[in-house]
């Protein structure tokens, strides 16, 4: 029962003795940790059928007999906790409310996989091993990026993923809300963004080279109340939701809704529709004052919905062809005294860096925002490898490491022909487990700018929740351990031990209803025979 994922700092087992929870076991919490107590009571009452009534606190240093108690301990670090199960009682001490919640998640793992179910199966014996566990997170940013733009994930699916993240002690949900293929958040002052931009007439099935199409409309969006619900649900689980509105590229859905946002002196933007294929489109935002004002309006509404410190503006894969051809864009370059189109993009991103900073927020973008000069105060999501993150950290900017060669979970998990829609490099469970977020090229001072790490799930070839589950798990469990635990150097990590612990963890994922990739390969219904992917040959580039 101590096969925990992610691995804690230390585990001390006290023989074979157990604490058996029963009808008289109480659950109580001291000041400042009540939200974790409420979550734990609701979750365990449903799974165990036990009443877990409110109890009285125990004496200093220990819980009351036959009780589970959560208690604040200012000596423990932020996010950290210590669990003591001895003498028919369990005490969870924590440095802050987040630590209490993480400790509660670990306690659920100790109870076994049936504790992850939503209803009681009739089991009568619920046992906690006598154990002492000390734990604290390595990184402050332990993220998952969900691309809900390419294939929309309904609200209930997002809430489900927040629960899966919480179970793995991940604490940042990066929601990729807009792209060429769809706009997924209601903006009340610009209703056509969802009336027009939230759906496409059909969808390419497989990679863009595939001849297959799903000939039916695809779409959906979150109302502002949906977003409020998602953000509140996440906050109860100590997860921050970071929104992404992609500018100035990846914007065809917005231009289809409001053609004046595009480069109207180059193309007839009124003929554009929400894109139904994959790849990078040449249709990008025009660098005009009216475009800036439009997106300021978008961000004004977003800031009311998302309290996160960071707001992601994309900034990646912005093709400059239209700007090169546009007399208006070229005039803007001359007016601003810029050298080229790269500096024009940097000016665009810099505008929103200043705008967000003036409102107490921070801009973060993909590592292309380094090109043409990095905006003051901006943080970088380093996706094309380690180099963007290294350059940003050396320049004194904060970094989230998410190199595609290691933690893009849309990349295939095996080289076998049975893998559904094979994309990118082969990234096995072991490859993800041996990922190291802090490159050795950074000095100790520079490494302090690595806020943490993030796994990214791009959904071009993930048409439903089952496909997302298949690509994300079990690799997200390995990633969660990399992000949370203080592991040795990559080649010194005990992957065999991790695989052993995963044997127990698969039962938890089964209880949670996760359609993960089995270690033996895809189940028949998880395959997509005949659907073209984009496999890349050879090993991924080194860091």
């Amino acid at each position: 029962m101590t096969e925990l994922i992610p691995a804690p700092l230390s585990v001390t087992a006290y023989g074979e003795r157990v604490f058996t929870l029963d009808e008289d076991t109480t659950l109580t919490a001291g000041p400042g940790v009540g939200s974790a107590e409420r979550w734990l009571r609701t979750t365990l009452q449903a799974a165990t059928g036990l009443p877990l009534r409110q109890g009285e606190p125990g004496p200093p240093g220990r819980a009351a007999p036959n009780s589970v108690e959560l208690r604040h301990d200012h000596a423990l670090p932020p996010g950290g906790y210590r669990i003591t199960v001895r003498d028919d009682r369990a005490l969870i001490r924590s440095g802050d409310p987040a630590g209490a919640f993480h400790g509660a998640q670990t306690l659920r793992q100790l109870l076994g996989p049936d504790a992850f179910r939503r209803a009681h199966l009739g089991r009568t014996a619920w046992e906690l091993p006598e154990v002492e566990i000390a734990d604290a997170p390595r990184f402050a940013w332990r993220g998952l990026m969900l691309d809900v733009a390419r294939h929309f994930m309904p609200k209930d699916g997002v809430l489900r993923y927040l629960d899966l993240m919480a179970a793995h002690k991940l604490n940042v949900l990066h929601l990729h809300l807009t792209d060429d293929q769809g706009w997924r958040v209601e903006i009340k002052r610009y209703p056509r963004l969802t009336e027009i931009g939230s759906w496409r007439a059909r969808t390419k099935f497989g990679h863009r080279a595939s001849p297959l199409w799903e000939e039916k409309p695809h779409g959906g969006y979150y109302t502002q109340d949906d977003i409020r619900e998602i953000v509140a649900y996440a906050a109860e689980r100590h997860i921050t939701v970071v929104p992404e509105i992609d500018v100035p590229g990846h914007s065809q859905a917005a231009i289809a809704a409001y053609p004046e946002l595009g480069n109207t002196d180059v193309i007839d933007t009124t003929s554009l529709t929400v894109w139904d294929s994959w790849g990078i489109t040449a249709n990008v935002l025009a660098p005009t004052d009216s475009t800036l004002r439009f997106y300021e309006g978008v961000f004004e509404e977003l800031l009311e919905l998302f309290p996160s410190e960071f707001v992601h503006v994309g900034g990646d894969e912005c093709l400059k062809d239209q700007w090169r051809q546009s007399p208006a864009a070229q005039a803007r370059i001359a007016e601003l005294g810029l050298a080229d189109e790269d500096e024009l993009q940097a000016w665009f991103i810099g505008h929103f860096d200043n705008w967000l900073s003036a409102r107490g927020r921070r801009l973060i973008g993909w590592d292309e925002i380094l090109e043409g000069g990095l905006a003051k105060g901006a943080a970088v999501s380093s996706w094309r490898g380690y180099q963007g993150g290294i350059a940003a950290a050396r320049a004194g900017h904060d970094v989230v490491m998410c190199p595609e060669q290691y933690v893009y979970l849309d990349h295939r998990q095996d080289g076998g022909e049975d893998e559904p829609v094979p994309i990118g490099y082969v990234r096995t469970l072991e490859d993800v487990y041996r990922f190291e977020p802090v490159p050795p090229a950074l000095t100790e001072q520079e490494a302090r700018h690595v806020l943490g790490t993030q796994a990214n799930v791009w959904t071009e070839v993930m048409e439903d929740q089952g496909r997302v589950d298949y690509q994300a798990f079990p690799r997200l469990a390995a990633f969660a351990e990399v992000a949370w635990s203080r592991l040795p150097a990559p080649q010194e990590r005990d992957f065999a031990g991790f695989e052993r612990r995963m044997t127990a963890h698969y039962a938890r994922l089964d209880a949670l209803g996760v359609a993960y990739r089995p270690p033996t390969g895809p189940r028949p219904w998880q395959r997509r025979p005949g659907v073209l992917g984009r496999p890349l040959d050879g090993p991924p580039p080194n860091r």
Side-chain angles (χ1 to χ4, degrees):
M1 289 191 182
T2 56
E3 303 292 336
L4 303 173
I5 288 179
L9 281 171
S10 67
V11 178
T12 303
Y14 297 110
E16 300 298 321
R17 284 179 52 85
V18 297
F19 166 28
T20 301
L21 281 61
D22 58 29
E23 294 286 331
D24 297 321
T25 302
T26 59
L27 175 61
T28 190
V33 293
S35 62
E37 178 211 23
R38 288 190 295 274
W39 175 86
L40 186 61
R41 175 176 281 108
T42 301
T43 302
L44 294 188
Q45 281 177 337
T48 67
L50 298 175
L52 296 173
R53 299 178 185 89
Q54 179 74 32
E56 294 296 323
R62 64 189 319 207
N66 196 18
S67 74
V68 176
E69 184 175 346
L70 294 87
R71 190 180 298 174
H72 176 73
D73 185 342
H74 63 83
L76 295 176
Y81 65 90
R82 182 179 290 270
I83 296 177
T84 303
V85 183
R86 293 295 301 271
D87 303 325
D88 295 323
R89 65 195 79 197
L91 177 63
I92 303 174
R93 289 172 287 166
S94 60
D96 58 8
F101 183 75
H102 298 145
Q105 290 285 356
T106 296
L107 188 85
R108 181 167 68 155
Q109 289 199 22
L110 292 173
L111 284 169
D114 285 347
F116 288 76
R117 296 190 179 274
R118 297 184 185 183
H120 184 214
L121 302 185
R123 173 177 162 186
T124 56
W126 294 93
E127 297 176 343
L128 289 170
E130 289 209 344
V131 69
E132 182 93 16
I133 298 172
D135 205 4
R138 180 185 179 191
F139 291 110
W141 186 302
R142 307 180 302 280
L144 172 68
M145 191 286 301
L146 271 180
D147 169 21
V148 296
R150 271 53 175 272
H151 276 101
F152 179 63
M153 179 178 284
K155 179 194 69 179
D156 285 353
V158 177
L159 299 179
R160 173 178 177 267
Y161 258 82
L162 287 167
D163 280 328
L164 293 175
M165 290 175 65
H168 293 83
K169 299 184 174 69
L170 299 173
N171 70 340
V172 177
L173 174 63
H174 170 176
L175 269 184
H176 182 76
L177 290 165
T178 71
D179 216 296
D180 302 307
Q181 296 86 3
W183 184 285
R184 305 296 179 209
V185 58
E186 176 188 28
I187 303 297
K188 291 186 176 180
R189 73 187 72 183
Y190 304 128
R192 294 206 305 271
L193 287 172
T194 47
E195 291 170 359
I196 295 172
S198 70
W199 68 278
R200 55 183 181 263
R202 64 176 187 168
T203 298
K204 175 72 73 171
F205 193 48
H207 182 246
R208 60 182 176 269
S210 169
L212 305 176
W213 294 88
E214 188 177 40
E215 296 286 354
K216 68 178 183 180
H218 175 87
Y221 65 92
Y222 309 111
T223 67
Q224 293 200 355
D225 281 344
D226 289 338
I227 293 294
R228 292 185 180 97
E229 181 182 359
I230 288 168
V231 169
Y233 194 86
E236 291 172 353
R237 288 148 182 78
H238 299 276
I239 296 172
T240 299
V241 184
V242 174
E244 179 183 350
I245 301 295
D246 218 332
V247 297
H250 286 288
S251 298
Q252 185 164 321
I255 298 169
Y258 291 91
E260 64 271 24
L261 295 174
N263 295 283
T264 57
D265 57 347
V266 175
I267 64 163
D268 175 16
T269 55
T270 62
S271 67
L272 292 179
T273 60
V274 178
W275 207 21
D276 57 13
S277 191
W278 315 124
I280 309 172
T281 176
N283 295 302
V284 302
L285 298 175
T288 64
D289 288 340
S290 61
T291 300
L292 297 180
R293 299 293 88 76
F294 183 97
Y295 275 87
E296 286 172 3
V298 169
F299 285 121
E300 281 176 4
E301 294 195 25
L302 278 183
L303 296 191
E304 294 177 359
L305 299 172
F306 294 93
S308 59
E309 175 187 5
F310 286 97
V311 175
H312 208 292
V313 300
D316 61 314
E317 297 179 328
C318 178
L319 298 181
K320 312 295 196 304
D321 297 349
Q322 289 183 357
W323 288 356
R324 294 187 184 97
Q325 299 163 15
S326 164
Q330 292 302 309
R332 194 69 192 237
I333 289 173
E335 171 196 341
L336 295 169
L338 304 176
D340 54 21
E341 292 76 18
D342 284 343
E343 287 195 4
L344 183 62
Q345 176 171 338
W347 165 81
F348 198 107
I349 297 297
H351 173 86
F352 287 104
D353 178 54
N354 293 329
W355 190 91
L356 289 166
S357 295
R359 288 154 182 80
R361 305 297 184 96
R362 292 184 65 189
L363 179 146
I364 186 169
W366 304 109
D367 56 52
E368 285 94 333
I369 68 173
L370 290 162
E371 297 165 4
L374 183 59
K376 178 184 176 183
V380 170
S381 300
S382 187
W383 76 273
R384 291 181 295 181
Y386 285 88
Q387 289 308 312
I390 291 171
R394 286 175 174 168
H397 292 268
D398 289 337
V399 178
V400 175
M401 284 293 187
C402 49
E404 70 164 328
Q405 301 88 350
Y406 299 89
V407 290
Y408 268 37
L409 301 186
D410 46 304
H411 283 208
R412 54 192 168 141
Q413 302 181 67
D414 189 87
E417 294 183 0
D418 287 342
E419 291 302 310
V421 199
I423 298 294
Y425 301 108
V426 173
R427 292 286 81 190
T428 65
L429 182 65
E430 182 173 0
D431 291 330
V432 174
Y433 190 68
R434 297 194 188 281
F435 165 62
E436 172 49 48
V438 179
L442 293 179
T443 66
E444 182 178 347
Q445 181 66 31
E446 292 165 348
R448 295 192 181 116
H449 286 289
V450 179
L451 299 175
T453 183
Q454 180 172 288
N456 294 339
V457 178
W458 299 103
T459 62
E460 287 94 333
V461 299
M462 300 179 212
E463 70 276 10
D464 56 32
Q465 177 177 285
R467 283 287 292 119
V468 176
D469 280 5
Y470 180 91
Q471 292 300 131
F473 288 97
R475 293 181 298 180
L476 192 62
F479 172 81
E481 184 148 309
V482 169
W484 174 274
S485 306
R486 285 168 170 78
L487 299 176
Q491 296 311 312
E492 298 171 8
R493 294 175 189 172
D494 181 12
F495 179 68
F498 176 77
E499 281 190 303
R500 184 190 67 249
R501 287 183 285 120
M502 276 302 302
T503 301
H505 199 64
Y506 285 122
R508 298 178 192 125
L509 296 179
D510 286 333
L512 288 166
V514 177
Y516 58 84
R517 180 190 187 275
T520 53
R523 296 180 172 97
W525 57 88
Q526 293 174 319
R527 301 167 187 163
R528 296 293 187 275
V531 181
L532 289 178
R534 185 181 62 92
L536 299 176
D537 295 328
N542 292 324
R543 70 183 67 172

